[in-house]
């Protein structure tokens, strides 16, 4: 987050990309729940919530519904690359010279630049790479909301929300 644009209670930063889409209505409900502003871009919202939840990936990613493949670096760990995808978005890795790691949504660009060992990452797992080598793989809870349309997502969220969550959102 650029200086001066952080929420008062959110400290930290992350540099990341996102291929996918979150549902605007759900982002608004989550922002009310935690008292954070919804940025103009859904990618920024994902990373804002990661920082808010102190990089508790299960908490953050299970709460966010939508399609996503993520690649990010935390400035306090600049030699680590984090990759994550859901089953509704592809994410591939390939290697060059045995140590250079490249990632792409599709395998074809990796082939075109000469990568070998190209693989699609398993969904719902956080892959951590250091200097081109796989350091760790951790399962991540699936989103509590699994849907394909905005209306279905809101209905699913409301059917599983606690009375306290509904009260925070002003819904009875």
């Amino acid at each position: 987050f650029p200086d001066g644009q952080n929420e008062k209670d959110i400290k930290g930063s992350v540099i990341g990309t996102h291929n996918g889409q979150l549902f605007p209505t759900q982002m608004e409900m989550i922002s009310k729940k935690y008292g954070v502003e919804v940025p103009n871009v859904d990618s920024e919202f994902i990373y804002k919530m990661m920082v808010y939840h102190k990089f508790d990936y299960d908490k953050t990613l299970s709460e966010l519904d939508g399609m996503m493949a993520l690649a990010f670096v935390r400035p306090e760990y600049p030699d680590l690359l984090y990759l994550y995808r859901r089953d509704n978005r592809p994410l591939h890795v390939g290697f060059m010279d045995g140590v250079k790691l490249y990632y792409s949504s599709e395998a074809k660009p990796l082939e075109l630049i000469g990568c070998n060992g190209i693989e699609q990452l398993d969904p719902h797992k956080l892959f951590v790479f250091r200097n081109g080598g796989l350091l760790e793989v951790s399962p991540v809870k699936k989103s509590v909301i699994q849907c394909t349309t905005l209306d279905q997502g809101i209905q699913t969220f409301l059917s599983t929300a606690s009375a306290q969550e509904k009260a925070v959102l002003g819904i009875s």
Side-chain angles (χ1 to χ4, degrees):
F1 305 105
D3 288 342
Q5 293 184 6
N6 286 351
E7 300 293 331
K8 284 190 279 185
D9 56 346
I10 298 177
K11 304 263 189 257
S13 62
V14 62
I15 300 164
T17 61
H18 163 234
N19 175 8
Q21 178 183 5
L22 296 182
F23 299 109
T25 305
Q26 188 208 20
M27 288 191 301
E28 289 174 20
M29 290 191 308
I30 291 171
S31 73
K32 287 180 186 175
K33 178 178 178 178
Y34 294 108
V36 298
E37 287 185 33
V38 177
N40 293 329
V41 180
D42 58 356
S43 302
E44 186 177 346
F45 189 74
I46 294 168
Y47 296 116
K48 178 182 264 192
M49 294 312 300
M50 278 190 190
V51 170
Y52 181 89
H53 290 303
K54 297 179 173 72
F55 296 96
D56 180 337
Y57 304 111
D58 279 334
K59 175 75 174 161
T60 303
L61 296 173
S62 67
E63 210 168 42
L64 297 173
D65 183 33
M67 301 161 279
M68 68 176 72
L70 306 174
F72 60 96
V73 174
R74 296 172 57 183
E76 67 270 29
Y77 305 111
D79 60 336
L80 301 181
L81 172 66
Y82 298 82
L83 299 175
Y84 168 81
R85 80 174 191 93
R86 293 205 170 139
D87 49 12
N88 54 21
R89 279 291 185 253
L91 185 58
H92 295 78
V93 294
F95 300 89
M96 232 188 263
D97 303 327
V99 293
K100 294 179 185 173
L101 169 74
Y102 294 85
Y103 70 89
S104 174
S105 293
E106 301 297 331
K108 190 68 175 170
L110 299 174
E111 292 169 10
L112 290 172
I113 64 169
C115 285
N116 53 47
I118 298 169
E119 294 184 34
Q120 178 164 265
L121 298 178
D122 291 336
H124 306 289
K125 293 182 181 175
L126 183 67
F127 292 80
V128 183
F129 293 88
R130 175 182 281 148
N131 300 322
L134 182 61
L135 182 65
E136 179 182 332
V137 179
S138 303
V140 175
K141 284 186 201 175
K142 290 185 178 182
S143 170
V144 293
I145 305 170
Q146 297 287 319
C147 67
T148 56
T149 67
L150 177 60
D151 290 340
Q152 181 186 5
I154 298 303
Q155 290 299 344
T156 304
F157 176 76
L158 293 176
S159 70
T160 60
S162 69
Q164 182 180 6
E165 288 172 324
K166 288 178 182 177
V168 167
L169 299 173
I171 300 169
S172 51

